[in-house]
């Protein structure tokens, strides 16, 4: 799906049209954590005399979509969607807008957005609170209709942390574009129920730290009474569990993101060592039958039970001795709140906001290893140490009481509404607490002077926005040096109108970008240096983030951050992490747009090379990384505009020539200094050298690399060290094919097909299709994926040594 001009033709109605209720959107009222939070929150607002209209895609009884319907109706007005509520003219009007907005989307997706927009135009909400950030259709519908206030509630981590599970109904790239652009509107606010979720969405969408508001889940102990002993006994009897048996409990949907396989594997291990234990997990879902089959032929089939959805949750939890949670990722798990509320000690995987709920070693255990053995050991410890288990249970209830009470959590949501409707939601008398999960500050007592050089040549149409973005920095100590490199489009006249003590202008004849940069930095007075392009945008935290990273890590001389690529109109298309290292930057310019470096590092590296126009920046980064360490900032700091008049677009052939020379020079410097032969720290040096040659050679032969000529040499070493390794075998064959050594390449392909026929057949076929690009940069044959840090001591050490500024 491609995004065109964002919401072109919208909004359909002005803000004055929306004089209706505070509307909350929930996909359904089924038995899940999000829906439970919707109802609990609506009850709190109802008690505060704030009326909520709950809009649901479906509340039909099929599939349990009405599980919380009666509870919801007791505290809010509930409206279910049907075609009867859609005005056909409004639907057609909305469809015309959304049809121009996206291309390649399914008709169902487009029709859903159009129908919801028409519905919202009838309901006329003055605010729409969408209780799950994954529901993109109502979000787009609200933007198109013109709803004047929108709250997006993230109830989990971002799709970047949920990969490969991500969004359920739409690809992650489209989801990113929709949410990243939606968050640029001042009337859109995002919340999340855990600190981990706040940070995850900020990093994924490129939002400044502190943008996403923290609104934890509500847990009202008053509506979760302790069940009578007979009630618990009856449930045990109904499940066929002996009265004195201990119970390992769990509550989740049987879907991959909850990892039911890990839960069942752990339960089997614990049941094998604890004879009186029964393991019971409530819930349903697409993987339930597979789990039943998983234990059917085991000795524990009568002791591992799957009763389906649990309606009497208090009685269920009250019969549990230990509660086990095995999800891959979570926002803030309601099940963990509920278990601790009933004084059940918890064992959970380290998923999302689990650490917000469970105090490791106090109310249970947060286990980092996703391993049934490790989880089983922690469960068994709690079963074997009853005094500690009881203490952990009491600590869990106290933690829920203090941190997730309606007064605290709903007060934080009230603060969000107070900022939107200060008249209707008076600010609380107590100071706001925790409404944001982070706040970036420059490390240290002083703020070093930052010099920002801005070279420009005939970019007057974009230049004012670039300058404005610099002047709006939240960093207090910077200067802007503008170098007009002989522009003929009126730039000089515009620059004469600027009146800021922070700006200095250097004008002269056209000398091309590298020389213009050198002229600018000759005038720079800062301790920290950076430059930006005239057609791009610095976000307000650009300087403070990069300067903060350099101040926090004195050993690092080069800082880089994430950046978003935007359309000519400025709409976000995607974003890149911007993290760099010498080994990853060696073969190709992987993309650095937001960066800053120390003056002394620049002096060691030298000036920008005028002979390398189009790759002068890449060459400089490589020379800097020869003499200093890098540090990365995991947030988007910069918008890089893609348009036909950019230098990269205009000088593609020249850029390629400059890039080839840059890569050759960098490789020569690396090899002259000993290169990968200098590996000494790893316990298994032979294995480390193998991985170093394999990874280096594989990167060199990948599409986009300017060092394909050197790939075969490194891969030959790796193949010689381990002739039977399929990764080395396959990638060496690709490198030989690029060199035109077809006989040797085909011999290796045949050897590979003897062990992995389908894989090597595809690799050989892909190479054959690149016949005309042999020996050329355009060669784009895929390679076999190299091992990651989990498989290589060397790569683990490299990953662990990378510096990341996250002290927000």
């Amino acid at each position: 799906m491609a995004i065109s001009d964002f919401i072109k033709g919208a909004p359909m109605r002005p803000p004055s049209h929306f004089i209706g209720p505070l509307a909350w959107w929930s996909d359904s009222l089924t038995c899940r954590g999000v829906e439970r939070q919707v109802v609990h929150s609506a009850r709190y607002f109802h008690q505060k005399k704030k009326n909520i209209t709950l809009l649901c895609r479906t509340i039909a009884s099929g599939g349990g979509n009405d599980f919380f319907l009666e509870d919801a109706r007791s505290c809010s007005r509930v409206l279910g969607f049907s075609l009867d509520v859609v005005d056909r003219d409004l639907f057609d009007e909305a469809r015309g807008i959304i049809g121009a907005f996206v291309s390649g989307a399914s008709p169902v997706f487009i029709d859903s957005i159009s129908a919801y927009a028409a519905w919202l135009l009838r309901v006329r909400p003055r605010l729409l609170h969408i209780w799950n950030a994954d529901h993109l259709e109502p979000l787009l519908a609200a933007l198109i209709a013109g709803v004047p206030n929108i709250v997006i509630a993230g109830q989990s981590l971002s799709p970047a942390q949920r990969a490969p599970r991500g969004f359920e109904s739409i690809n992650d790239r489209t989801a990113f574009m929709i949410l990243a652009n939606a968050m640029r509107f001042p009337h859109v606010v995002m919340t999340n129920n855990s600190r981990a979720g706040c940070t995850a969405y900020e990093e994924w969408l490129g939002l400044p730290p502190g943008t996403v508001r923290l609104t934890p889940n509500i847990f009202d102990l008053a509506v979760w009474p302790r069940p009578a002993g007979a009630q618990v006994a009856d449930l045990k009897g109904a499940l066929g569990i002996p009265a004195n048996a201990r119970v390992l409990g769990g509550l989740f949907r049987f879907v991959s993101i909850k990892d039911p396989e890990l839960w069942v594997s752990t339960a089997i291990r614990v049941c094998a060592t604890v004879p009186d234990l029964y393991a019971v997990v409530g819930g349903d879902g697409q993987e339930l039958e597979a789990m039943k089959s998983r234990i059917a032929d085991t000795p524990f089939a009568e002791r591992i039970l799957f009763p389906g959805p649990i309606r009497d949750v208090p009685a269920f939890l009250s019969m549990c001795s230990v509660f086990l949670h095995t999800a891959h990722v979570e926002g803030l798990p309601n099940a963990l709140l509920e278990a601790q509320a009933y004084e059940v000690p918890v064992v959970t995987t380290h998923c999302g906001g689990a650490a917000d709920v469970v105090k490791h070693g106090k109310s249970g255990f947060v286990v980092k290893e996703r391993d049934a053995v490790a989880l089983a050991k922690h469960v068994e410890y709690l079963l074997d140490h009853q005094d500690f288990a009881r203490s952990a249970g009491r600590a869990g209830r106290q933690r829920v009481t203090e941190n997730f009470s309606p007064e605290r959590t709903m007060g934080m949501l009230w603060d969000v509404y107070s900022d939107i409707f200060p008249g209707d939601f008076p600010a609380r008398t107590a100071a706001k607490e925790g409404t944001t999960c982070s706040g970036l500050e420059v490390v240290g007592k002083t703020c070093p002077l930052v010099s920002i050089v801005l070279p420009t040549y005939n970019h007057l149409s974009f230049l004012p926005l670039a300058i404005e973005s610099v002047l709006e920095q939240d960093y207090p100590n910077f200067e802007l040096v503008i170098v007009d490199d002989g522009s003929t489009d009126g730039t000089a006249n515009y620059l004469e109108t600027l009146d800021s003590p922070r700006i200095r202008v250097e004008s002269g004849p056209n000398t091309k970008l590298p020389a213009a940069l050198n002229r600018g930095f000759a005038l720079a007075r800062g301790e920290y240096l950076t430059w930006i392009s005239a057609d791009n945008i610095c976000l307000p935290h650009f300087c403070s983030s990069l300067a903060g990273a350099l101040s926090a890590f004195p050993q690092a001389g080069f800082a880089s951050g994430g950046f978003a690529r935007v359309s000519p109109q400025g709409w976000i298309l995607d974003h890149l992490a911007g993290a760099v290292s010498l080994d990853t930057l060696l073969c190709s310019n992987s993309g650095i747009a937001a960066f800053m470096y120390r003056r002394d590092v620049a002096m060691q590296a030298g000036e920008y090379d005028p002979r390398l126009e189009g790759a002068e920046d890449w060459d400089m980064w490589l020379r800097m990384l020869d003499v200093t360490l890098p540090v990365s900032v995991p947030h988007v700091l910069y918008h890089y505009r893609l348009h036909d008049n950019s230098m990269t677009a205009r000088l593609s052939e020249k850029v390629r020539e400059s890039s080839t020379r840059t890569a050759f020079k960098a490789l020569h410097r690396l090899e002259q200094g000993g290169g990968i032969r200098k590996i000494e720290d790893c316990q298994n040096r032979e294995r480390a050298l193998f991985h170093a040659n394999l990874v280096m050679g594989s990167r060199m032969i990948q599409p986009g690399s300017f060092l394909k000529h050197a790939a075969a040499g490194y891969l030959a070493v790796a193949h010689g060290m381990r002739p039977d390794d399929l990764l080395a075998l396959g990638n060496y064959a690709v490198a030989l094919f690029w060199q035109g050594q077809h006989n040797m390449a085909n011999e290796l392909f045949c050897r590979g097909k003897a062990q992995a026929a389908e894989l090597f057949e595809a690799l050989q076929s892909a190479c054959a299709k690149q016949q005309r690009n042999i020996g050329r940069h355009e060669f784009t044959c895929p390679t076999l994926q190299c091992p990651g840090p989990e498989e290589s001591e060397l790569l683990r050490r490299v990953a662990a040594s990378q510096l990341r500024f996250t002290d927000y």
Side-chain angles (χ1 to χ4, degrees), residues 338-538:
E338 295 162 0
Q340 291 187 127
Y342 285 94
E343 299 188 5
V344 183
V346 169
V347 175
T348 177
T349 49
H350 194 279
C351 50
D356 284 9
V357 182
V358 181
K359 183 68 173 177
H360 181 70
K362 294 291 185 180
S363 62
F365 298 109
V366 182
V367 182
K368 292 185 177 180
E369 301 95 333
R370 296 198 58 79
D371 178 75
V373 174
L375 290 167
K377 286 181 179 178
H378 286 83
V379 171
E380 291 165 11
Y381 181 89
L382 290 170
L383 293 171
D384 292 340
H385 296 79
Q386 290 298 301
D387 289 343
F388 176 78
R390 284 190 289 269
S391 172
R394 291 191 297 270
R397 183 175 175 86
Q398 183 64 27
R399 187 169 178 82
V400 172
T401 302
E402 292 176 353
N403 295 321
F404 301 97
S405 66
E407 292 74 21
R408 180 175 185 268
T409 59
M410 285 296 97
M412 295 165 77
L413 182 58
W414 185 277
D415 290 338
V416 174
Y417 278 66
S418 178
D419 290 343
I420 299 171
F421 302 114
D424 294 339
F425 292 81
R428 293 186 292 162
T429 54
K432 295 180 182 180
E433 59 161 321
T435 53
T436 61
C437 66
S438 57
L440 181 62
E441 296 179 358
V442 177
V443 176
K445 296 181 179 179
T446 62
C447 296
L449 177 64
V450 172
S451 293
I452 305 168
V453 172
L454 194 166
T456 182
Y457 174 71
N458 287 348
H459 269 148
L460 183 58
S461 59
F462 296 121
L463 182 60
L465 289 176
I467 293 174
E468 180 182 355
S469 75
V470 173
L471 296 180
E472 291 179 349
Q473 291 297 296
D474 60 17
Y475 187 83
N477 192 19
F478 68 88
E479 65 173 4
L480 174 61
V481 179
I482 302 173
V483 180
D484 180 13
D485 195 33
S487 298
T488 59
D489 62 348
T491 292
N493 293 334
Y494 164 72
L495 293 176
E496 289 178 358
T497 68
L498 299 178
D499 183 20
S500 171
R502 296 185 183 273
I503 295 178
R504 286 185 291 155
V505 176
E506 160 73 9
S507 298
N510 182 249
T511 57
K512 305 301 181 184
L513 179 59
L517 288 171
N518 292 333
R519 287 158 55 197
F521 284 114
L523 299 174
R525 298 171 296 193
E527 179 183 343
Y528 296 162
L529 308 175
T530 186
W531 63 272
I532 69 168
S533 298
D535 48 354
N536 297 330
I537 297 293
C538 299

Side-chain angles (χ1 to χ4, degrees), residues 79-408:
L79 299 179
F81 177 78
S82 72
L83 292 177
D84 295 338
V85 303
V86 176
D87 180 281
R88 182 71 198 192
D89 291 337
L90 293 177
F91 173 84
D92 290 340
E93 183 181 353
R95 203 181 194 289
I97 293 172
I98 195 64
F101 163 53
V102 295
S103 61
S106 70
V108 172
F109 183 73
I110 293 176
D111 286 348
S112 295
I113 297 168
S114 306
Y116 295 154
W119 190 24
L120 292 174
L121 288 169
R122 291 193 61 175
V123 177
R124 304 171 74 178
R126 62 185 189 274
L127 175 142
L128 183 67
H129 187 146
I130 302 168
W131 276 86
N132 191 330
D134 289 12
H135 294 160
L136 301 175
E137 293 98 327
L139 170 60
L140 286 172
L143 291 169
I144 290 169
V147 176
N149 298 289
I150 301 171
V151 177
I152 309 168
Q155 300 297 114
S156 186
L157 304 185
S158 79
Q161 283 74 34
R162 285 185 267 160
R165 296 154 190 91
F167 279 71
E168 295 180 357
S169 61
I170 195 169
N171 71 72
D172 294 356
R173 184 173 182 271
T174 300
F176 165 81
M177 287 190 285
I178 291 171
L179 286 170
N181 286 300
M183 286 302 297
R184 299 182 65 189
F185 290 101
H187 67 289
V188 179
V189 176
M190 178 173 279
T191 68
N192 198 278
N193 62 358
S194 73
R195 288 176 174 82
C198 289
T199 301
Y201 268 96
E202 286 168 354
E203 292 188 6
W204 182 54
L205 298 177
L207 305 173
T211 299
V212 180
R213 305 283 292 269
L214 176 63
T215 55
N217 288 0
I218 182 175
F219 196 92
D220 188 355
L221 286 170
V223 299
W224 287 82
R226 292 183 183 274
Q231 189 177 345
V232 178
D234 288 346
L235 179 59
K236 262 192 168 183
L239 293 172
I241 301 173
N244 296 325
R246 290 180 288 179
V247 175
L248 174 64
L251 290 170
F252 53 78
R253 285 181 298 137
F254 282 80
V255 293
S256 61
I257 201 167
K258 303 295 184 179
D259 204 348
E261 172 66 32
L262 180 58
W263 199 98
V264 171
S265 296
T266 304
I268 290 173
R269 287 183 173 276
V270 182
C271 284
T273 58
V274 183
D276 70 330
L277 184 74
Y278 279 69
V280 186
V281 56
D284 58 14
Q286 61 193 33
E287 295 191 13
L288 175 57
E289 293 304 317
M291 292 303 103
K292 289 180 178 179
S293 299
R294 166 89 164 79
I295 59 99
D297 296 327
T298 72
F300 314 107
E302 301 299 321
R303 291 166 52 202
I304 299 179
L305 310 177
F306 305 95
I310 300 292
R311 285 193 173 270
D312 193 350
V313 174
F316 175 82
L317 292 171
S318 296
M319 75 178 186
C320 292
S321 306
V322 178
F323 189 86
L324 175 64
H325 193 71
T326 57
H328 282 281
V329 291
E330 288 277 10
L332 193 137
N334 286 295
L336 297 183
L337 288 173
E338 295 162 0
Q340 291 187 127
Y342 285 94
E343 299 188 5
V344 183
V346 169
V347 175
T348 177
T349 49
H350 194 279
C351 50
D356 284 9
V357 182
V358 181
K359 183 68 173 177
H360 181 70
K362 294 291 185 180
S363 62
F365 298 109
V366 182
V367 182
K368 292 185 177 180
E369 301 95 333
R370 296 198 58 79
D371 178 75
V373 174
L375 290 167
K377 286 181 179 178
H378 286 83
V379 171
E380 291 165 11
Y381 181 89
L382 290 170
L383 293 171
D384 292 340
H385 296 79
Q386 290 298 301
D387 289 343
F388 176 78
R390 284 190 289 269
S391 172
R394 291 191 297 270
R397 183 175 175 86
Q398 183 64 27
R399 187 169 178 82
V400 172
T401 302
E402 292 176 353
N403 295 321
F404 301 97
S405 66
E407 292 74 21
R408 180 175 185 268

Side-chain angles (χ1 to χ4, degrees), residues 727-750:
L727 295 178
L729 183 72
N731 291 350
Y732 183 34
V734 174
L736 289 171
F737 193 94
W738 182 85
Q739 289 186 342
Q741 300 187 49
H742 294 174
N743 291 338
M744 289 183 63
N746 288 328
E747 180 183 340
L748 294 178
F749 283 134
C750 289

Side-chain angles (χ1 to χ4, degrees), residues 23-45:
W24 290 3
W25 181 284
S26 179
D27 199 48
S28 70
L29 289 171
T30 191
C31 182
R32 292 188 295 189
V34 174
E35 289 77 4
R36 181 175 291 117
Q37 285 304 306
V38 172
V39 174
H40 288 345
S41 301
R43 183 178 295 116
Y44 176 87
F45 272 61

